[in-house]
Amino acid sequence: LQDNALTGIQVLYCNLICAVTLGFVAAVEPAEDGIMDVPPRRVGKRLIGRYLFLRIFIGTVVMVATTVGSIFWCQEVFKNEGRKYEDYLPLMRSQASNTLTFGACFITMSARFSYNSALHPRIFRGNKYAWYSVAITGTLQCFITYVPGVNDVVFEMGPMEGFQWGIVALF
């Protein structure tokens, strides 16, 4: 298991950072317009209904697929350049970590709206703390990706190349 694209410490870090910084967004999110027009949930009805379960399922599948897809894409690029696997494994770990964490940021921004589409200008207003939390998460990701000692010793990652950031942004 030494050659995994995500190490155990990367998974723990992603869970911690996403739970603390991005979870804060849900705690301070103002109520959605029209939420009081929705009738209350029946007594005994499940807390997570079909619609919410479907959103959770789709978000999880998309985040896993984009993370795995970005790893395979990077691996193919590095193979075509003739690099050794041992040389580009740390770069693939960086790719996986950043794709996963920034994917969680975008899912958080989408999840702010239960019944309305997230593809609307309202995503940029209403909760300034949502953007603060994304900025904090992004800063911490850059820190663990580029600071020597942190990236190579603790997280077993390497500094990402420019095209890798393009893949993160694309996914």
Side-chain angles (χ1 to χ4, degrees):
L1 295 175
Q2 293 174 320
D3 293 342
N4 285 343
L6 278 173
T7 63
I9 192 77
Q10 285 177 300
V11 173
L12 290 171
Y13 167 82
C14 184
N15 284 337
L16 174 71
I17 291 304
C18 291
V20 172
T21 59
L22 301 177
F24 178 71
V25 172
V28 298
E29 184 69 30
E32 207 172 328
D33 290 338
I35 195 74
M36 295 307 288
D37 297 333
V38 177
R41 186 173 52 89
R42 285 191 332 259
V43 174
K45 188 176 176 185
R46 294 182 190 148
L47 188 58
I48 298 178
R50 288 184 193 133
Y51 177 72
L52 183 56
F53 179 76
L54 182 65
R55 284 186 66 166
I56 292 169
F57 179 76
I58 289 172
T60 302
V61 168
V62 167
M63 192 162 54
V64 168
T66 56
T67 301
V68 171
S70 72
I71 294 166
F72 283 124
W73 190 352
C74 282
Q75 184 176 21
E76 194 62 33
V77 169
F78 293 136
K79 275 184 185 177
N80 290 339
E81 290 178 355
R83 296 190 194 187
K84 294 179 186 175
Y85 182 74
E86 300 80 31
D87 295 338
Y88 65 80
L89 178 61
L91 298 174
M92 287 180 14
R93 287 183 173 150
S94 295
Q95 183 70 48
S97 176
N98 283 293
T99 303
L100 181 65
T101 303
F102 283 107
C105 289
F106 288 109
I107 286 177
T108 299
M109 297 307 274
S110 170
R112 291 175 52 207
F113 308 105
S114 301
Y115 299 102
N116 297 325
S117 172
L119 300 175
H120 193 274
R122 75 176 153 266
I123 197 166
F124 297 109
R125 58 182 192 272
N127 186 358
K128 64 182 178 184
Y129 299 110
W131 292 105
Y132 291 159
S133 107
V134 169
I136 291 168
T137 303
T139 302
L140 289 172
Q141 275 303 116
C142 289
F143 177 79
I144 71 164
T145 302
Y146 290 106
V147 172
V150 176
N151 67 352
D152 56 354
V153 175
V154 178
F155 290 98
E156 299 178 34
M157 297 173 15
M160 286 177 52
E161 297 178 4
F163 82 92
Q164 290 182 275
W165 284 111
I167 293 172
V168 170
L170 182 66
F171 282 149

